[in-house]
PDB file of all heavy atoms in Angstrom:
ATOM      1  N   GLY A  18     -15.627 -27.866  17.892  1.00 98.00           N
ATOM      2  CA  GLY A  18     -15.319 -29.261  17.499  1.00 98.00           C
ATOM      3  C   GLY A  18     -16.631 -30.000  17.223  1.00 98.00           C
ATOM      4  O   GLY A  18     -17.771 -29.374  17.171  1.00 98.00           O
ATOM      5  N   ALA A  19     -16.535 -31.325  17.062  1.00 98.00           N
ATOM      6  CA  ALA A  19     -17.621 -32.098  16.524  1.00 98.00           C
ATOM      7  C   ALA A  19     -18.887 -31.985  17.467  1.00 98.00           C
ATOM      8  O   ALA A  19     -20.036 -32.127  16.914  1.00 98.00           O
ATOM      9  CB  ALA A  19     -17.234 -33.524  16.473  1.00 98.00           C
ATOM     10  N   GLY A  20     -18.713 -31.648  18.718  1.00 98.00           N
ATOM     11  CA  GLY A  20     -19.829 -31.560  19.665  1.00 98.00           C
ATOM     12  C   GLY A  20     -20.824 -30.522  19.226  1.00 98.00           C
ATOM     13  O   GLY A  20     -22.025 -30.613  19.580  1.00 98.00           O
ATOM     14  N   ALA A  23     -23.300 -32.168  17.081  1.00 98.00           N
ATOM     15  CA  ALA A  23     -23.912 -33.402  17.628  1.00 98.00           C
ATOM     16  C   ALA A  23     -25.343 -33.250  17.619  1.00 98.00           C
ATOM     17  O   ALA A  23     -26.156 -34.274  17.272  1.00 98.00           O
ATOM     18  CB  ALA A  23     -23.406 -33.719  18.993  1.00 98.00           C
ATOM     19  N   GLU A  24     -25.957 -32.160  17.968  1.00 98.00           N
ATOM     20  CA  GLU A  24     -27.430 -31.949  18.078  1.00 98.00           C
ATOM     21  C   GLU A  24     -28.001 -31.717  16.644  1.00 98.00           C
ATOM     22  O   GLU A  24     -29.219 -31.645  16.535  1.00 98.00           O
ATOM     23  CB  GLU A  24     -27.725 -30.788  18.983  1.00 98.00           C
ATOM     24  CG  GLU A  24     -27.499 -31.098  20.393  1.00 98.00           C
ATOM     25  CD  GLU A  24     -27.240 -29.940  21.344  1.00 98.00           C
ATOM     26  OE1 GLU A  24     -28.211 -29.349  21.744  1.00 98.00           O
ATOM     27  OE2 GLU A  24     -26.056 -29.584  21.563  1.00 98.00           O
ATOM     28  N   THR A  29     -20.006 -37.520  16.816  1.00 96.00           N
ATOM     29  CA  THR A  29     -18.632 -37.009  17.189  1.00 96.00           C
ATOM     30  C   THR A  29     -17.629 -38.092  16.854  1.00 96.00           C
ATOM     31  O   THR A  29     -18.023 -39.180  16.397  1.00 96.00           O
ATOM     32  CB  THR A  29     -18.624 -36.566  18.648  1.00 96.00           C
ATOM     33  OG1 THR A  29     -18.913 -37.671  19.421  1.00 96.00           O
ATOM     34  CG2 THR A  29     -19.579 -35.445  18.981  1.00 96.00           C
ATOM     35  N   PHE A  30     -16.375 -37.920  17.181  1.00 95.00           N
ATOM     36  CA  PHE A  30     -15.349 -38.905  16.757  1.00 95.00           C
ATOM     37  C   PHE A  30     -15.100 -39.858  17.915  1.00 95.00           C
ATOM     38  O   PHE A  30     -15.027 -41.064  17.653  1.00 95.00           O
ATOM     39  CB  PHE A  30     -14.052 -38.152  16.407  1.00 95.00           C
ATOM     40  CG  PHE A  30     -14.217 -37.335  15.192  1.00 95.00           C
ATOM     41  CD1 PHE A  30     -14.483 -35.994  15.191  1.00 95.00           C
ATOM     42  CD2 PHE A  30     -14.070 -37.970  13.895  1.00 95.00           C
ATOM     43  CE1 PHE A  30     -14.579 -35.305  14.048  1.00 95.00           C
ATOM     44  CE2 PHE A  30     -14.259 -37.297  12.795  1.00 95.00           C
ATOM     45  CZ  PHE A  30     -14.531 -35.882  12.785  1.00 95.00           C
ATOM     46  N   ARG A  31     -14.919 -39.319  19.154  1.00 92.00           N
ATOM     47  CA  ARG A  31     -14.438 -40.206  20.184  1.00 92.00           C
ATOM     48  C   ARG A  31     -15.630 -40.596  21.125  1.00 92.00           C
ATOM     49  O   ARG A  31     -16.645 -39.878  21.160  1.00 92.00           O
ATOM     50  CB  ARG A  31     -13.331 -39.430  21.005  1.00 92.00           C
ATOM     51  CG  ARG A  31     -12.123 -39.342  20.173  1.00 92.00           C
ATOM     52  CD  ARG A  31     -11.084 -38.310  20.627  1.00 92.00           C
ATOM     53  NE  ARG A  31     -10.046 -38.228  19.570  1.00 92.00           N
ATOM     54  CZ  ARG A  31     -10.094 -37.475  18.514  1.00 92.00           C
ATOM     55  NH1 ARG A  31     -11.092 -36.686  18.360  1.00 92.00           N
ATOM     56  NH2 ARG A  31      -9.155 -37.551  17.576  1.00 92.00           N
ATOM     57  N   TRP A  37     -14.867 -42.812  15.387  1.00 86.00           N
ATOM     58  CA  TRP A  37     -13.608 -43.589  15.483  1.00 86.00           C
ATOM     59  C   TRP A  37     -13.846 -44.867  16.194  1.00 86.00           C
ATOM     60  O   TRP A  37     -12.941 -45.671  16.410  1.00 86.00           O
ATOM     61  CB  TRP A  37     -12.545 -42.818  16.141  1.00 86.00           C
ATOM     62  CG  TRP A  37     -12.001 -41.589  15.393  1.00 86.00           C
ATOM     63  CD1 TRP A  37     -11.388 -40.464  15.897  1.00 86.00           C
ATOM     64  CD2 TRP A  37     -11.977 -41.392  13.979  1.00 86.00           C
ATOM     65  NE1 TRP A  37     -11.116 -39.569  14.969  1.00 86.00           N
ATOM     66  CE2 TRP A  37     -11.447 -40.062  13.715  1.00 86.00           C
ATOM     67  CE3 TRP A  37     -12.438 -42.102  12.888  1.00 86.00           C
ATOM     68  CZ2 TRP A  37     -11.314 -39.520  12.410  1.00 86.00           C
ATOM     69  CZ3 TRP A  37     -12.278 -41.621  11.586  1.00 86.00           C
ATOM     70  CH2 TRP A  37     -11.723 -40.319  11.404  1.00 86.00           C
ATOM     71  N   GLN A  96     -12.819 -27.064  13.857  1.00 98.00           N
ATOM     72  CA  GLN A  96     -12.132 -28.256  13.451  1.00 98.00           C
ATOM     73  C   GLN A  96     -13.113 -29.010  12.558  1.00 98.00           C
ATOM     74  O   GLN A  96     -12.753 -30.096  12.066  1.00 98.00           O
ATOM     75  CB  GLN A  96     -11.778 -29.090  14.666  1.00 98.00           C
ATOM     76  CG  GLN A  96     -10.797 -28.385  15.659  1.00 98.00           C
ATOM     77  CD  GLN A  96     -10.739 -29.085  16.994  1.00 98.00           C
ATOM     78  OE1 GLN A  96      -9.958 -29.964  17.179  1.00 98.00           O
ATOM     79  NE2 GLN A  96     -11.577 -28.694  17.848  1.00 98.00           N
ATOM     80  N   ASN A  97     -14.319 -28.563  12.438  1.00 98.00           N
ATOM     81  CA  ASN A  97     -15.354 -29.338  11.749  1.00 98.00           C
ATOM     82  C   ASN A  97     -15.265 -29.148  10.246  1.00 98.00           C
ATOM     83  O   ASN A  97     -14.764 -28.094   9.768  1.00 98.00           O
ATOM     84  CB  ASN A  97     -16.781 -28.966  12.202  1.00 98.00           C
ATOM     85  CG  ASN A  97     -16.983 -29.295  13.745  1.00 98.00           C
ATOM     86  OD1 ASN A  97     -16.178 -29.954  14.283  1.00 98.00           O
ATOM     87  ND2 ASN A  97     -17.972 -28.725  14.278  1.00 98.00           N
ATOM     88  N   HIS A 114      -9.391 -27.979   9.567  1.00 98.00           N
ATOM     89  CA  HIS A 114      -9.270 -29.296   9.033  1.00 98.00           C
ATOM     90  C   HIS A 114      -9.872 -29.510   7.671  1.00 98.00           C
ATOM     91  O   HIS A 114     -10.197 -30.575   7.255  1.00 98.00           O
ATOM     92  CB  HIS A 114      -9.864 -30.320  10.044  1.00 98.00           C
ATOM     93  CG  HIS A 114      -9.003 -30.421  11.389  1.00 98.00           C
ATOM     94  ND1 HIS A 114      -9.503 -30.992  12.503  1.00 98.00           N
ATOM     95  CD2 HIS A 114      -7.812 -29.978  11.643  1.00 98.00           C
ATOM     96  CE1 HIS A 114      -8.573 -30.914  13.430  1.00 98.00           C
ATOM     97  NE2 HIS A 114      -7.539 -30.316  12.975  1.00 98.00           N
ATOM     98  N   PHE A 157      -4.874 -37.459   9.451  1.00 96.00           N
ATOM     99  CA  PHE A 157      -3.822 -37.601  10.553  1.00 96.00           C
ATOM    100  C   PHE A 157      -2.468 -37.684   9.878  1.00 96.00           C
ATOM    101  O   PHE A 157      -2.340 -38.331   8.793  1.00 96.00           O
ATOM    102  CB  PHE A 157      -4.150 -38.833  11.285  1.00 96.00           C
ATOM    103  CG  PHE A 157      -5.305 -38.688  12.354  1.00 96.00           C
ATOM    104  CD1 PHE A 157      -6.606 -39.007  11.866  1.00 96.00           C
ATOM    105  CD2 PHE A 157      -5.156 -38.045  13.482  1.00 96.00           C
ATOM    106  CE1 PHE A 157      -7.657 -38.819  12.732  1.00 96.00           C
ATOM    107  CE2 PHE A 157      -6.219 -37.859  14.393  1.00 96.00           C
ATOM    108  CZ  PHE A 157      -7.520 -38.218  13.950  1.00 96.00           C
ATOM    109  N   GLY A 183     -17.637 -27.902  22.382  1.00 98.00           N
ATOM    110  CA  GLY A 183     -17.825 -29.207  21.802  1.00 98.00           C
ATOM    111  C   GLY A 183     -16.610 -29.876  21.161  1.00 98.00           C
ATOM    112  O   GLY A 183     -16.648 -30.480  20.170  1.00 98.00           O
ATOM    113  N   THR A 184     -15.481 -29.698  21.840  1.00 98.00           N
ATOM    114  CA  THR A 184     -14.227 -30.376  21.408  1.00 98.00           C
ATOM    115  C   THR A 184     -13.625 -31.118  22.624  1.00 98.00           C
ATOM    116  O   THR A 184     -13.614 -30.547  23.714  1.00 98.00           O
ATOM    117  CB  THR A 184     -13.271 -29.423  20.714  1.00 98.00           C
ATOM    118  OG1 THR A 184     -12.155 -30.226  20.352  1.00 98.00           O
ATOM    119  CG2 THR A 184     -12.803 -28.271  21.596  1.00 98.00           C
ATOM    120  N   SER A 185     -13.055 -32.268  22.278  1.00 98.00           N
ATOM    121  CA  SER A 185     -12.311 -32.994  23.364  1.00 98.00           C
ATOM    122  C   SER A 185     -11.004 -32.348  23.582  1.00 98.00           C
ATOM    123  O   SER A 185     -10.337 -32.571  24.581  1.00 98.00           O
ATOM    124  CB  SER A 185     -12.131 -34.508  22.961  1.00 98.00           C
ATOM    125  OG  SER A 185     -11.444 -34.536  21.714  1.00 98.00           O
ATOM    126  N   GLY A 186     -10.538 -31.561  22.615  1.00 98.00           N
ATOM    127  CA  GLY A 186      -9.228 -30.857  22.850  1.00 98.00           C
ATOM    128  C   GLY A 186      -8.059 -31.706  22.886  1.00 98.00           C
ATOM    129  O   GLY A 186      -6.997 -31.388  23.471  1.00 98.00           O
ATOM    130  N   VAL A 188      -6.681 -33.105  19.913  1.00 96.00           N
ATOM    131  CA  VAL A 188      -5.962 -33.150  18.552  1.00 96.00           C
ATOM    132  C   VAL A 188      -5.175 -31.896  18.356  1.00 96.00           C
ATOM    133  O   VAL A 188      -5.730 -30.769  18.343  1.00 96.00           O
ATOM    134  CB  VAL A 188      -7.031 -33.354  17.439  1.00 96.00           C
ATOM    135  CG1 VAL A 188      -6.363 -33.323  16.087  1.00 96.00           C
ATOM    136  CG2 VAL A 188      -7.540 -34.825  17.651  1.00 96.00           C
ATOM    137  N   VAL A 208     -17.820 -24.761  26.717  1.00 98.00           N
ATOM    138  CA  VAL A 208     -19.181 -25.250  26.760  1.00 98.00           C
ATOM    139  C   VAL A 208     -19.086 -26.748  26.276  1.00 98.00           C
ATOM    140  O   VAL A 208     -18.721 -27.078  25.121  1.00 98.00           O
ATOM    141  CB  VAL A 208     -20.046 -24.539  25.723  1.00 98.00           C
ATOM    142  CG1 VAL A 208     -21.478 -25.041  25.657  1.00 98.00           C
ATOM    143  CG2 VAL A 208     -20.132 -22.999  26.079  1.00 98.00           C
ATOM    144  N   ASN A 209     -19.296 -27.685  27.224  1.00 98.00           N
ATOM    145  CA  ASN A 209     -19.202 -29.055  26.954  1.00 98.00           C
ATOM    146  C   ASN A 209     -19.844 -29.840  28.040  1.00 98.00           C
ATOM    147  O   ASN A 209     -19.509 -29.502  29.240  1.00 98.00           O
ATOM    148  CB  ASN A 209     -17.674 -29.424  26.862  1.00 98.00           C
ATOM    149  CG  ASN A 209     -17.454 -30.745  26.111  1.00 98.00           C
ATOM    150  OD1 ASN A 209     -18.110 -31.747  26.418  1.00 98.00           O
ATOM    151  ND2 ASN A 209     -16.443 -30.779  25.320  1.00 98.00           N
ATOM    152  N   PRO A 210     -20.616 -30.779  27.815  1.00 98.00           N
ATOM    153  CA  PRO A 210     -21.306 -31.568  28.898  1.00 98.00           C
ATOM    154  C   PRO A 210     -20.245 -32.230  29.746  1.00 98.00           C
ATOM    155  O   PRO A 210     -20.425 -32.480  30.918  1.00 98.00           O
ATOM    156  CB  PRO A 210     -22.220 -32.515  28.219  1.00 98.00           C
ATOM    157  CG  PRO A 210     -22.354 -32.233  26.829  1.00 98.00           C
ATOM    158  CD  PRO A 210     -21.135 -31.279  26.482  1.00 98.00           C
ATOM    159  N   GLU A 211     -19.113 -32.604  29.147  1.00 97.00           N
ATOM    160  CA  GLU A 211     -17.950 -33.200  29.870  1.00 97.00           C
ATOM    161  C   GLU A 211     -16.783 -32.295  29.791  1.00 97.00           C
ATOM    162  O   GLU A 211     -16.510 -31.717  28.700  1.00 97.00           O
ATOM    163  CB  GLU A 211     -17.520 -34.527  29.119  1.00 97.00           C
ATOM    164  CG  GLU A 211     -18.647 -35.468  28.676  1.00 97.00           C
ATOM    165  CD  GLU A 211     -19.138 -36.281  29.833  1.00 97.00           C
ATOM    166  OE1 GLU A 211     -18.295 -36.448  30.818  1.00 97.00           O
ATOM    167  OE2 GLU A 211     -20.260 -36.725  29.762  1.00 97.00           O
ATOM    168  N   LYS A 225     -23.012 -28.041  29.812  1.00 98.00           N
ATOM    169  CA  LYS A 225     -24.343 -28.305  29.096  1.00 98.00           C
ATOM    170  C   LYS A 225     -24.074 -28.502  27.570  1.00 98.00           C
ATOM    171  O   LYS A 225     -23.057 -28.254  27.054  1.00 98.00           O
ATOM    172  CB  LYS A 225     -25.262 -27.077  29.188  1.00 98.00           C
ATOM    173  CG  LYS A 225     -25.706 -26.823  30.628  1.00 98.00           C
ATOM    174  CD  LYS A 225     -26.674 -25.627  30.612  1.00 98.00           C
ATOM    175  CE  LYS A 225     -27.188 -25.342  32.052  1.00 98.00           C
ATOM    176  NZ  LYS A 225     -27.754 -24.020  32.100  1.00 98.00           N
ATOM    177  N   LYS A 226     -25.157 -29.053  26.980  1.00 98.00           N
ATOM    178  CA  LYS A 226     -25.147 -29.159  25.544  1.00 98.00           C
ATOM    179  C   LYS A 226     -25.018 -27.761  24.891  1.00 98.00           C
ATOM    180  O   LYS A 226     -25.704 -26.852  25.304  1.00 98.00           O
ATOM    181  CB  LYS A 226     -26.371 -29.865  25.022  1.00 98.00           C
ATOM    182  CG  LYS A 226     -26.324 -31.349  25.446  1.00 98.00           C
ATOM    183  CD  LYS A 226     -27.583 -32.026  24.816  1.00 98.00           C
ATOM    184  CE  LYS A 226     -27.527 -33.496  25.102  1.00 98.00           C
ATOM    185  NZ  LYS A 226     -28.699 -34.183  24.517  1.00 98.00           N
ATOM    186  N   ALA A 227     -24.293 -27.694  23.775  1.00 98.00           N
ATOM    187  CA  ALA A 227     -24.111 -26.406  23.089  1.00 98.00           C
ATOM    188  C   ALA A 227     -25.441 -25.784  22.645  1.00 98.00           C
ATOM    189  O   ALA A 227     -25.667 -24.582  22.705  1.00 98.00           O
ATOM    190  CB  ALA A 227     -23.172 -26.622  21.916  1.00 98.00           C
TER     191      ALA A 227
HETATM  192  N1  APR B   1     -22.637 -29.982  23.034  1.00 78.45           N
HETATM  193  C1  APR B   1     -21.381 -29.686  23.310  1.00 78.45           C
HETATM  194  N2  APR B   1     -20.331 -30.573  23.371  1.00 78.45           N
HETATM  195  C2  APR B   1     -20.705 -31.817  23.078  1.00 78.45           C
HETATM  196  C3  APR B   1     -22.012 -32.190  22.714  1.00 78.45           C
HETATM  197  C4  APR B   1     -23.056 -31.230  22.704  1.00 78.45           C
HETATM  198  N3  APR B   1     -24.293 -31.490  22.393  1.00 78.45           N
HETATM  199  N4  APR B   1     -22.034 -33.519  22.418  1.00 78.45           N
HETATM  200  C5  APR B   1     -20.856 -33.960  22.609  1.00 78.45           C
HETATM  201  N5  APR B   1     -19.962 -32.973  22.999  1.00 78.45           N
HETATM  202  C6  APR B   1     -18.506 -32.978  23.282  1.00 78.45           C
HETATM  203  C7  APR B   1     -17.987 -34.191  23.861  1.00 78.45           C
HETATM  204  O1  APR B   1     -18.055 -34.233  25.342  1.00 78.45           O
HETATM  205  C8  APR B   1     -16.503 -34.138  23.411  1.00 78.45           C
HETATM  206  O2  APR B   1     -15.738 -33.460  24.343  1.00 78.45           O
HETATM  207  O3  APR B   1     -17.875 -32.783  22.045  1.00 78.45           O
HETATM  208  C9  APR B   1     -16.574 -33.378  22.081  1.00 78.45           C
HETATM  209  C10 APR B   1     -16.291 -34.106  20.787  1.00 78.45           C
HETATM  210  O4  APR B   1     -14.971 -34.493  20.814  1.00 78.45           O
HETATM  211  P1  APR B   1     -14.278 -35.334  19.607  1.00 78.45           P
HETATM  212  O5  APR B   1     -15.219 -36.450  19.138  1.00 78.45           O
HETATM  213  O6  APR B   1     -12.913 -35.699  20.013  1.00 78.45           O
HETATM  214  O7  APR B   1     -14.309 -34.238  18.458  1.00 78.45           O
HETATM  215  P2  APR B   1     -13.262 -33.048  18.182  1.00 78.45           P
HETATM  216  O8  APR B   1     -12.776 -32.556  19.400  1.00 78.45           O
HETATM  217  O9  APR B   1     -13.937 -32.171  17.155  1.00 78.45           O
HETATM  218  O10 APR B   1     -12.139 -33.842  17.462  1.00 78.45           O
HETATM  219  C11 APR B   1     -11.000 -33.160  16.900  1.00 78.45           C
HETATM  220  O11 APR B   1     -10.135 -35.023  15.832  1.00 78.45           O
HETATM  221  O12 APR B   1     -10.644 -36.913  14.704  1.00 78.45           O
HETATM  222  C12 APR B   1     -10.248 -35.620  14.535  1.00 78.45           C
HETATM  223  O13 APR B   1     -10.130 -34.264  12.645  1.00 78.45           O
HETATM  224  C13 APR B   1     -11.029 -34.833  13.603  1.00 78.45           C
HETATM  225  O14 APR B   1     -11.541 -32.450  13.791  1.00 78.45           O
HETATM  226  C14 APR B   1     -11.554 -33.697  14.497  1.00 78.45           C
HETATM  227  C15 APR B   1     -10.501 -33.684  15.647  1.00 78.45           C
END
Side-chain angles (χ1 to χ4, degrees):
E24 289 156 85
T29 59
F30 293 96
R31 294 167 183 82
W37 296 153
Q96 300 165 89
N97 298 345
H114 292 165
F157 288 93
T184 180
S185 57
V188 172
V208 179
N209 197 318
E211 313 282 339
K225 291 185 182 163
K226 290 183 173 180

